[in-house]
Amino acid sequence: MDDTAGSLLLIVDAANVVGSVPDGWWRDRRGAAERLRDRLAADGLPGHDGPVRIVLVVEGAARGVESVPGVTVESAPGSGDDHIVTLVARTPDRPRLVVTADRELRRRVTDLGAEVTGPRTVRA
């Protein structure tokens, strides 16, 4: 990751955030991930004033969603959770915030020093 080491790295578990609202996302997982990506690009991280690097991790039917200015989209080669843990582990020298409600993923990333927040943080 080539941006400022001091900026917050916001890693968003797309499947978990999209799945947190029963709005028909299951009929078009890719479209739901694209809508989340676009919301993140427009809104960033509400309530955070400093620089933020946003990474949206997609998996399954949402693989292949393209990055846009302000949001890097990474298609997990396997488990999205495992890919998120890898991203957190690769960046120990910067602040990291993972957006997910998945309890096991929350435990795994906090063990690596990341902070976590729930889907409502970026769905507002």
Side-chain angles (χ1 to χ4, degrees):
M1 302 197 179
D2 56 336
D3 47 85
T4 308
S7 65
L8 175 66
L9 176 59
L10 179 69
I11 303 171
V12 180
D13 180 353
N16 191 267
V17 172
V18 164
S20 69
V21 176
D23 61 1
W25 59 264
W26 52 89
R27 290 187 291 267
D28 182 11
R29 294 170 193 258
R30 184 183 180 108
E34 289 170 340
R35 288 187 296 278
L36 174 58
R37 175 206 58 200
D38 294 347
R39 185 176 325 114
L40 291 166
D43 299 342
L45 177 59
H48 184 79
D49 293 329
V52 178
R53 179 167 188 312
I54 301 172
V55 177
L56 180 66
V57 176
V58 297
E59 62 186 341
R63 282 190 186 102
V65 170
E66 298 291 325
S67 296
V68 297
V71 179
T72 300
V73 179
E74 292 208 10
S75 293
S79 158
D81 291 359
D82 290 346
H83 192 67
I84 290 168
V85 170
T86 298
L87 292 174
V88 168
R90 267 197 253 158
T91 54
D93 297 332
R94 72 185 304 168
R96 296 147 302 166
L97 178 62
V98 176
V99 181
T100 188
D102 181 293
R103 287 184 183 156
E104 177 61 15
L105 178 57
R106 291 169 74 95
R107 183 198 61 75
R108 291 172 69 191
V109 298
T110 57
D111 285 352
L112 293 169
E115 297 202 21
V116 294
T117 190
R120 279 186 244 160
T121 302
V122 296
R123 295 222 36 130

